[in-house]
Amino acid sequence: MDKDISVLMSVYKNDIPENVEKAVESVVNQTLSPKQIVMVVDGPVPDKLMQMLKSLEEKYPIYQNVFLEENGGLGNALKEGTKYCKYEFIARMDSDDISVPERFEKEMRVFENDE
């Protein structure tokens, strides 16, 4: 499979750091690994969440935080995030989603079968 994937996520002040971390872990442990994870930080967030987001950026080379000064809502955050996605396919996840390990592999097979 030669399809490159960006994963687009967004967090805001009410997100639980542990849930966000589990969601990102489920992305990096895929059978078909994405090439990029873009996490839009929608406005100011609590210190504990900020520390966890920065640690993810240090831990995973494919992971990138994008900071918005003010909370503009999910739609706006995703719109801004797409500007940073480098690859043809963008997988969308909420910050508390847990993806099964075969998610991207199965999704990309559907695209290949439709070509």
Side-chain angles (χ1 to χ4, degrees):
M1 245 175 259
D2 60 349
K3 305 289 187 197
D4 293 332
I5 303 168
S6 293
V7 176
L8 179 57
M9 302 173 73
S10 176
V11 295
Y12 79 120
K13 65 181 179 181
N14 291 340
D15 281 313
I16 299 167
E18 295 79 14
N19 292 348
V20 176
E21 188 171 26
K22 287 177 186 173
V24 171
E25 295 286 338
S26 79
V27 170
V28 297
N29 291 313
Q30 290 288 305
T31 56
L32 175 62
S33 298
K35 299 282 187 192
Q36 177 187 37
I37 302 168
V38 175
M39 179 70 75
V40 181
V41 184
D42 193 11
V45 296
D47 289 344
K48 186 176 179 187
L49 181 55
M50 181 62 77
Q51 290 170 358
M52 189 273 308
L53 294 169
K54 288 184 176 184
S55 74
L56 290 171
E57 203 165 38
E58 292 172 9
K59 187 175 182 179
Y60 300 112
I62 65 169
Y63 179 95
Q64 170 185 7
N65 287 311
V66 174
F67 297 97
L68 303 181
E69 285 187 29
E70 294 182 18
N71 179 281
L74 180 61
N76 181 67
L78 296 177
K79 178 182 171 190
E80 288 300 312
T82 59
K83 296 174 185 177
Y84 294 84
C85 292
K86 299 176 186 176
Y87 300 102
E88 179 181 7
F89 293 94
I90 300 174
R92 201 5 226 126
M93 275 185 60
D94 286 330
S95 58
D96 60 353
D97 286 348
I98 305 295
S99 289
V100 296
E102 306 83 19
R103 174 190 170 184
F104 300 143
E105 184 178 349
K106 288 179 179 181
E107 289 175 339
M108 296 315 295
R109 259 198 220 114
V110 171
F111 283 108
E112 285 182 346
N113 292 337
D114 285 348
E115 290 182 328

